[in-house]
Amino acid sequence: MPAVTVSDITVLPRVHQPDPAVANERPVRSVTSAPSGYEGEGFPVRRAFAGVDLRDLDPFIHMDQMGEVEYAPGEPKGTPWHPHRGFETVTYMLDGIMEHQDSQGGGGVISNGDTQWMTAGSGLLHIETPPEHLVLSGGLFHGIQLWVNLPQAQKWAAPRYQDIRGGDSALLSTEDGGALIRVIAGSVDGHDGPGSTHTPITLVHATVSPNAELVLPWQPQYNALVYVLAGQGTVGAEHRPIRKGQLALFGPGDTIRTAASASQSSAEPNLEVLVLGGRPIREPVAMAGPFVMNTRAEVIQAFEDFQAGKLGTIPAVHGLGTDLHESN
Protein backbone atom coordinates (compact mmCIF):
# COMPACT_ATOMS: atom_id res chain seq x y z
CA MET A 1 0.00 0.00 0.00
CA PRO A 2 2.44 2.69 -1.15
CA ALA A 3 0.18 5.75 -1.69
CA VAL A 4 2.58 8.56 -0.68
CA THR A 5 5.43 7.77 1.71
CA VAL A 6 8.35 9.73 3.11
CA SER A 7 11.93 8.70 3.82
CA ASP A 8 12.18 10.76 7.01
CA ILE A 9 8.96 11.39 8.90
CA THR A 10 10.75 13.55 11.50
CA VAL A 11 11.06 16.47 9.05
CA LEU A 12 7.29 16.81 8.58
CA PRO A 13 5.11 19.36 10.40
CA ARG A 14 3.63 17.88 13.58
CA VAL A 15 -0.03 17.76 14.52
CA HIS A 16 -0.35 19.22 18.00
CA GLN A 17 -1.64 16.82 20.61
CA PRO A 18 -4.96 18.16 21.98
CA ASP A 19 -4.86 19.07 25.65
CA PRO A 20 -6.77 16.26 27.41
CA ALA A 21 -7.92 18.73 30.05
CA VAL A 22 -9.97 20.69 27.53
CA ALA A 23 -10.42 18.30 24.59
CA ASN A 24 -13.89 16.84 24.07
CA GLU A 25 -13.05 13.39 22.75
CA ARG A 26 -15.61 11.87 20.43
CA PRO A 27 -17.15 8.60 21.66
CA VAL A 28 -17.57 5.64 19.31
CA ARG A 29 -21.22 5.19 18.43
CA SER A 30 -20.87 2.07 16.28
CA VAL A 31 -18.45 -0.23 14.45
CA THR A 32 -19.82 -1.93 11.32
CA SER A 33 -18.31 -4.44 8.90
CA ALA A 34 -18.36 -3.81 5.15
CA PRO A 35 -19.91 -6.62 3.08
CA SER A 36 -18.16 -7.65 -0.13
CA GLY A 37 -19.62 -7.33 -3.62
CA TYR A 38 -18.76 -6.52 -7.22
CA GLU A 39 -18.95 -3.30 -9.21
CA GLY A 40 -18.65 -2.29 -12.86
CA GLU A 41 -17.40 -5.13 -15.02
CA GLY A 42 -16.72 -7.29 -11.99
CA PHE A 43 -14.02 -5.79 -9.80
CA PRO A 44 -14.37 -6.67 -6.10
CA VAL A 45 -15.43 -4.02 -3.59
CA ARG A 46 -16.24 -3.62 0.09
CA ARG A 47 -19.32 -1.48 0.74
CA ALA A 48 -17.88 0.64 3.52
CA PHE A 49 -21.09 2.42 4.58
CA ALA A 50 -23.42 -0.59 4.60
CA GLY A 51 -25.64 -0.68 7.68
CA VAL A 52 -25.08 2.98 8.65
CA ASP A 53 -28.01 5.41 8.64
CA LEU A 54 -27.74 7.99 5.84
CA ARG A 55 -28.41 10.76 8.37
CA ASP A 56 -25.23 9.80 10.24
CA LEU A 57 -23.21 9.75 7.00
CA ASP A 58 -24.42 13.16 5.75
CA PRO A 59 -22.87 14.73 3.64
CA PHE A 60 -21.47 11.39 2.39
CA ILE A 61 -23.62 8.99 0.41
CA HIS A 62 -21.59 5.92 -0.49
CA MET A 63 -18.04 4.54 -0.29
CA ASP A 64 -16.41 1.48 -1.86
CA GLN A 65 -13.00 0.03 -1.09
CA MET A 66 -12.02 -1.26 -4.55
CA GLY A 67 -9.76 -4.29 -4.26
CA GLU A 68 -7.18 -4.95 -2.91
CA VAL A 69 -6.73 -7.46 -5.73
CA GLU A 70 -3.80 -8.84 -7.71
CA TYR A 71 -4.96 -9.28 -11.31
CA ALA A 72 -3.47 -11.82 -13.71
CA PRO A 73 -2.75 -10.69 -17.31
CA GLY A 74 -6.02 -9.91 -19.08
CA GLU A 75 -8.06 -9.71 -15.87
CA PRO A 76 -8.11 -5.99 -14.87
CA LYS A 77 -11.62 -4.56 -15.06
CA GLY A 78 -13.25 -1.15 -14.97
CA THR A 79 -16.72 0.28 -15.53
CA PRO A 80 -18.76 0.82 -18.70
CA TRP A 81 -19.96 4.31 -19.61
CA HIS A 82 -22.47 5.48 -16.98
CA PRO A 83 -24.21 8.73 -15.96
CA HIS A 84 -23.98 10.82 -12.77
CA ARG A 85 -25.92 13.82 -11.50
CA GLY A 86 -26.25 15.69 -8.21
CA PHE A 87 -23.06 14.78 -6.30
CA GLU A 88 -19.27 14.42 -6.44
CA THR A 89 -17.20 11.25 -6.87
CA VAL A 90 -13.78 11.08 -5.23
CA THR A 91 -11.50 8.27 -6.46
CA TYR A 92 -8.33 7.77 -4.41
CA MET A 93 -5.81 5.28 -5.80
CA LEU A 94 -3.53 3.47 -3.36
CA ASP A 95 -2.07 0.93 -5.80
CA GLY A 96 -2.45 0.57 -9.54
CA ILE A 97 -3.52 2.87 -12.36
CA MET A 98 -6.95 4.07 -13.50
CA GLU A 99 -7.92 6.11 -16.55
CA HIS A 100 -11.06 8.19 -16.48
CA GLN A 101 -12.93 10.06 -19.20
CA ASP A 102 -16.21 11.93 -19.48
CA SER A 103 -18.62 13.06 -22.17
CA GLN A 104 -17.43 16.66 -21.89
CA GLY A 105 -13.82 15.92 -22.76
CA GLY A 106 -12.50 15.77 -19.21
CA GLY A 107 -10.43 12.98 -17.74
CA GLY A 108 -6.93 11.82 -16.99
CA VAL A 109 -4.86 9.11 -15.34
CA ILE A 110 -4.42 8.55 -11.61
CA SER A 111 -1.99 6.18 -9.91
CA ASN A 112 -0.43 5.55 -6.50
CA GLY A 113 -1.55 8.26 -4.09
CA ASP A 114 -3.43 10.34 -6.69
CA THR A 115 -7.04 11.50 -6.36
CA GLN A 116 -9.54 12.24 -9.11
CA TRP A 117 -12.30 14.53 -7.86
CA MET A 118 -15.25 14.76 -10.22
CA THR A 119 -18.14 17.12 -9.62
CA ALA A 120 -20.98 15.59 -11.62
CA GLY A 121 -23.29 18.50 -10.81
CA SER A 122 -25.90 18.93 -13.54
CA GLY A 123 -24.85 15.66 -15.15
CA LEU A 124 -22.46 13.87 -17.49
CA LEU A 125 -21.41 10.44 -18.72
CA HIS A 126 -18.28 8.87 -17.26
CA ILE A 127 -16.04 5.81 -17.69
CA GLU A 128 -13.23 4.40 -15.55
CA THR A 129 -10.91 1.72 -16.93
CA PRO A 130 -7.42 0.36 -16.34
CA PRO A 131 -4.98 1.38 -19.12
CA GLU A 132 -4.34 -1.11 -21.90
CA HIS A 133 -0.83 -1.97 -20.72
CA LEU A 134 -2.18 -2.88 -17.27
CA VAL A 135 -4.86 -5.09 -18.80
CA LEU A 136 -2.11 -6.92 -20.71
CA SER A 137 0.29 -7.24 -17.78
CA GLY A 138 -2.06 -7.56 -14.83
CA GLY A 139 -1.00 -6.17 -11.47
CA LEU A 140 -2.15 -4.85 -8.11
CA PHE A 141 -5.26 -2.69 -7.93
CA HIS A 142 -6.50 -0.95 -4.78
CA GLY A 143 -8.48 2.25 -4.32
CA ILE A 144 -11.39 4.06 -2.74
CA GLN A 145 -14.39 5.72 -4.32
CA LEU A 146 -16.35 8.12 -2.14
CA TRP A 147 -19.61 9.87 -3.08
CA VAL A 148 -20.07 13.34 -1.56
CA ASN A 149 -23.53 14.88 -1.74
CA LEU A 150 -24.14 18.38 -3.07
CA PRO A 151 -26.64 20.80 -1.52
CA GLN A 152 -29.71 21.55 -3.59
CA ALA A 153 -28.36 24.93 -4.69
CA GLN A 154 -25.27 23.27 -6.23
CA LYS A 155 -26.75 20.12 -7.76
CA TRP A 156 -26.99 21.96 -11.09
CA ALA A 157 -23.43 23.27 -11.04
CA ALA A 158 -21.37 22.77 -14.18
CA PRO A 159 -19.37 19.51 -14.08
CA ARG A 160 -15.65 19.85 -13.28
CA TYR A 161 -12.55 17.76 -12.52
CA GLN A 162 -9.71 18.03 -10.09
CA ASP A 163 -6.73 15.76 -10.65
CA ILE A 164 -4.83 15.84 -7.36
CA ARG A 165 -1.34 14.38 -7.46
CA GLY A 166 -0.34 12.39 -4.41
CA GLY A 167 2.63 14.67 -3.76
CA ASP A 168 0.28 17.65 -3.46
CA SER A 169 -1.37 16.30 -0.31
CA ALA A 170 -0.38 17.99 2.93
CA LEU A 171 1.94 15.54 4.72
CA LEU A 172 2.00 15.67 8.51
CA SER A 173 3.18 13.58 11.45
CA THR A 174 2.00 12.99 14.97
CA GLU A 175 4.24 14.46 17.67
CA ASP A 176 6.04 11.16 18.30
CA GLY A 177 6.42 10.33 14.61
CA GLY A 178 4.21 7.25 14.98
CA ALA A 179 1.74 8.18 12.23
CA LEU A 180 2.02 9.63 8.72
CA ILE A 181 -0.98 11.81 7.88
CA ARG A 182 -1.97 12.71 4.31
CA VAL A 183 -4.53 15.53 4.12
CA ILE A 184 -6.30 15.19 0.76
CA ALA A 185 -9.08 17.72 1.38
CA GLY A 186 -10.13 20.02 4.17
CA SER A 187 -7.90 21.05 7.07
CA VAL A 188 -6.17 19.34 10.00
CA ASP A 189 -4.61 21.48 12.72
CA GLY A 190 -4.32 24.42 10.31
CA HIS A 191 -2.79 22.39 7.45
CA ASP A 192 -4.92 22.42 4.28
CA GLY A 193 -5.24 19.65 1.71
CA PRO A 194 -5.38 20.46 -2.03
CA GLY A 195 -8.94 19.24 -2.70
CA SER A 196 -11.47 22.01 -3.37
CA THR A 197 -14.91 20.97 -2.18
CA HIS A 198 -18.42 22.36 -2.73
CA THR A 199 -19.51 20.69 0.50
CA PRO A 200 -17.11 21.39 3.42
CA ILE A 201 -15.37 18.10 4.30
CA THR A 202 -12.05 16.76 5.54
CA LEU A 203 -10.49 13.63 4.02
CA VAL A 204 -7.33 12.06 5.47
CA HIS A 205 -5.36 8.87 4.84
CA ALA A 206 -3.15 7.94 7.80
CA THR A 207 -0.58 5.18 8.31
CA VAL A 208 -0.24 4.36 12.01
CA SER A 209 2.78 2.33 13.14
CA PRO A 210 2.29 -0.63 15.50
CA ASN A 211 1.53 0.46 19.07
CA ALA A 212 1.22 4.13 18.01
CA GLU A 213 -1.77 6.44 18.38
CA LEU A 214 -3.36 8.92 16.01
CA VAL A 215 -5.17 11.75 17.82
CA LEU A 216 -6.60 14.40 15.50
CA PRO A 217 -8.38 17.66 16.29
CA TRP A 218 -11.68 17.62 14.39
CA GLN A 219 -14.24 20.25 13.43
CA PRO A 220 -17.01 19.99 16.06
CA GLN A 221 -19.70 20.76 13.45
CA TYR A 222 -18.53 17.88 11.20
CA ASN A 223 -19.47 14.24 11.56
CA ALA A 224 -16.56 11.82 11.99
CA LEU A 225 -15.85 8.40 10.46
CA VAL A 226 -12.80 6.11 10.47
CA TYR A 227 -12.54 3.30 7.92
CA VAL A 228 -9.80 0.66 8.19
CA LEU A 229 -8.07 -0.08 4.89
CA ALA A 230 -5.56 -2.51 6.40
CA GLY A 231 -4.32 -3.74 9.75
CA GLN A 232 -6.03 -3.72 13.13
CA GLY A 233 -6.26 -1.48 16.17
CA THR A 234 -8.74 0.40 18.34
CA VAL A 235 -10.88 3.53 18.14
CA GLY A 236 -11.94 6.01 20.78
CA ALA A 237 -10.92 6.47 24.39
CA GLU A 238 -12.76 3.21 25.10
CA HIS A 239 -10.26 1.38 22.84
CA ARG A 240 -12.94 -0.41 20.88
CA PRO A 241 -11.38 -3.06 18.58
CA ILE A 242 -11.45 -2.42 14.83
CA ARG A 243 -9.93 -4.20 11.85
CA LYS A 244 -9.66 -4.16 8.06
CA GLY A 245 -13.00 -3.57 6.36
CA GLN A 246 -14.69 -2.00 9.38
CA LEU A 247 -16.09 1.52 9.83
CA ALA A 248 -16.25 3.45 13.10
CA LEU A 249 -18.91 6.14 13.50
CA PHE A 250 -18.14 8.73 16.18
CA GLY A 251 -20.42 10.89 18.28
CA PRO A 252 -20.03 14.63 18.95
CA GLY A 253 -16.79 16.22 20.10
CA ASP A 254 -13.64 17.86 18.79
CA THR A 255 -11.04 15.06 18.89
CA ILE A 256 -10.76 11.64 17.16
CA ARG A 257 -8.58 8.85 18.55
CA THR A 258 -7.33 5.76 16.70
CA ALA A 259 -4.55 3.39 17.80
CA ALA A 260 -2.68 0.58 16.06
CA SER A 261 -2.29 -2.79 17.73
CA ALA A 262 1.24 -3.71 18.78
CA SER A 263 1.11 -6.85 16.64
CA GLN A 264 0.28 -6.60 12.91
CA SER A 265 0.55 -9.19 10.14
CA SER A 266 3.57 -9.22 7.84
CA ALA A 267 1.26 -8.60 4.86
CA GLU A 268 -0.21 -5.50 6.55
CA PRO A 269 2.49 -4.17 8.90
CA ASN A 270 0.68 -0.92 9.80
CA LEU A 271 -2.81 0.29 10.57
CA GLU A 272 -4.07 2.14 7.47
CA VAL A 273 -7.15 4.30 7.98
CA LEU A 274 -9.27 6.83 6.14
CA VAL A 275 -10.53 9.56 8.45
CA LEU A 276 -13.37 11.59 7.00
CA GLY A 277 -16.06 13.97 8.04
CA GLY A 278 -18.08 16.88 6.76
CA ARG A 279 -20.69 19.48 7.58
CA PRO A 280 -24.12 17.83 7.27
CA ILE A 281 -26.31 19.24 4.51
CA ARG A 282 -29.55 18.20 6.23
CA GLU A 283 -31.68 18.15 3.10
CA PRO A 284 -33.94 15.38 1.79
CA VAL A 285 -32.08 12.73 -0.23
CA ALA A 286 -33.66 10.83 -3.12
CA MET A 287 -31.20 8.40 -4.66
CA ALA A 288 -31.44 5.78 -7.39
CA GLY A 289 -28.46 4.23 -9.14
CA PRO A 290 -26.08 6.99 -10.29
CA PHE A 291 -28.32 9.93 -9.37
CA VAL A 292 -28.49 11.69 -5.98
CA MET A 293 -31.19 14.36 -5.84
CA ASN A 294 -33.61 15.89 -3.34
CA THR A 295 -36.92 14.48 -4.64
CA ARG A 296 -38.17 11.38 -6.43
CA ALA A 297 -39.38 13.59 -9.29
CA GLU A 298 -35.84 14.93 -9.77
CA VAL A 299 -34.47 11.38 -9.93
CA ILE A 300 -37.08 10.41 -12.54
CA GLN A 301 -36.17 13.55 -14.49
CA ALA A 302 -32.48 12.56 -14.34
CA PHE A 303 -33.28 9.14 -15.85
CA GLU A 304 -35.39 10.78 -18.55
CA ASP A 305 -32.65 13.32 -19.32
CA PHE A 306 -30.09 10.52 -19.56
CA GLN A 307 -32.28 8.51 -21.94
CA ALA A 308 -32.85 11.63 -24.03
CA GLY A 309 -29.10 12.23 -24.34
CA LYS A 310 -29.16 15.44 -22.28
CA LEU A 311 -26.33 14.27 -20.00
CA GLY A 312 -23.94 14.08 -22.93
CA THR A 313 -22.93 11.61 -25.59
CA ILE A 314 -20.16 9.04 -25.69
CA PRO A 315 -17.16 10.42 -27.63
CA ALA A 316 -16.86 9.30 -31.25
CA VAL A 317 -13.83 7.12 -30.49
CA HIS A 318 -16.28 4.90 -28.58
CA GLY A 319 -18.94 5.04 -31.30
CA LEU A 320 -21.30 2.36 -32.54
CA GLY A 321 -19.72 -0.98 -33.25
CA THR A 322 -17.09 -0.65 -30.49
CA ASP A 323 -17.00 -2.32 -27.13
CA LEU A 324 -17.67 0.42 -24.61
CA HIS A 325 -16.00 -1.66 -21.90
CA GLU A 326 -12.59 -1.49 -23.51
CA SER A 327 -9.93 1.08 -22.59
CA ASN A 328 -8.46 3.31 -25.28
Side-chain angles (χ1 to χ4, degrees), residues 48-91:
F49 291 163
V52 182
D53 194 296
L54 198 59
R55 291 170 295 184
D56 293 323
L57 297 172
D58 187 11
F60 307 114
I61 296 292
H62 171 84
M63 189 167 78
D64 277 344
Q65 181 179 6
M66 305 179 294
E68 179 175 11
V69 58
E70 183 79 39
Y71 282 120
E75 284 187 343
K77 299 175 176 66
T79 68
W81 282 94
H82 56 281
H84 287 305
R85 174 181 278 177
F87 65 105
E88 299 183 291
T89 65
V90 181
T91 305

Side-chain angles (χ1 to χ4, degrees), residues 164-189:
I164 302 170
R165 300 299 104 185
D168 294 336
S169 298
L171 300 180
L172 312 172
S173 167
T174 49
E175 287 189 342
D176 63 359
L180 171 62
I181 303 160
R182 309 164 187 85
V183 185
I184 299 167
S187 181
V188 172
D189 197 30

Side-chain angles (χ1 to χ4, degrees), residues 8 45 86 116-117 128 138 186 197 200 246 248 251 253 258 263 266 278 288 303 320:
D8 184 1
V45 297
Q116 176 249 307
W117 204 296
E128 298 161 298
T197 69
Q246 290 188 319
T258 304
S263 177
S266 58
F303 276 107
L320 293 175

